[in-house]
Amino acid sequence: MKPGQKGTKALVEKYGEDLVCVRYRYDEASRTRIKTVEIIVEKKQLPPVQSMPDNAMVPVQIAYGAKELGKMARSAGGSWDADVKLWYIRYGNIKGTELEKHILLDAQLKQKSI
């Protein structure tokens, strides 16, 4: 149920704009009704999306032992920098892939030029 619908008014008063939804679940075996709420506990502004040229070398952090991601980095033409423990890969080679989620956005100083 969305905030404001019948059955949610007391919770709207309690949680205000942080209330996202209310769910009722029924357990036939124990003949009970369970009411759960989904609330917002944190709002955080995301950094602005940076548009990068496809030929930009971006730092990609892959956890030790993530072998599949390591293979993907190698096949995308990435190079490993042992000094900073990061992969450097051309953005165009990983755009839209799982590796794009591992780009270090705050590693401005660690970016390499072509």
Side-chain angles (χ1 to χ4, degrees):
M1 302 175 125
K2 293 183 180 178
Q5 290 181 310
K6 187 177 178 184
T8 66
K9 294 189 185 199
L11 294 167
V12 169
E13 288 179 23
K14 183 175 182 177
Y15 297 109
E17 291 184 16
D18 291 335
L19 181 66
V20 176
C21 71
V22 178
R23 290 186 185 89
Y24 289 95
R25 298 172 189 229
Y26 300 92
D27 184 357
E28 292 296 326
S30 65
R31 304 280 306 145
T32 56
R33 178 183 77 186
I34 301 167
K35 184 189 315 185
T36 62
V37 297
E38 183 177 338
I39 59 171
I40 298 170
V41 294
E42 178 184 28
K43 288 183 185 178
K44 187 175 180 182
Q45 188 68 35
L46 295 175
V49 176
Q50 299 174 349
S51 60
M52 290 184 232
D54 284 352
N55 64 347
M57 296 296 281
V58 293
V60 178
Q61 187 170 36
I62 298 175
Y64 179 78
K67 295 184 190 249
E68 286 303 312
L69 290 174
K71 288 179 186 176
M72 288 175 65
R74 267 188 225 91
S75 67
S79 62
W80 173 249
D81 186 335
D83 293 335
V84 290
K85 295 182 176 30
L86 293 172
W87 285 91
Y88 286 93
I89 311 170
R90 289 193 193 287
Y91 179 68
N93 294 357
I94 62 171
K95 185 169 38 173
T97 69
E98 182 67 25
L99 287 174
E100 187 177 20
K101 297 175 187 173
H102 295 269
I103 294 174
L104 280 182
L105 297 175
D106 59 350
Q108 302 293 334
L109 301 174
K110 295 180 182 178
Q111 264 190 356
K112 285 186 175 181
S113 57
I114 303 173

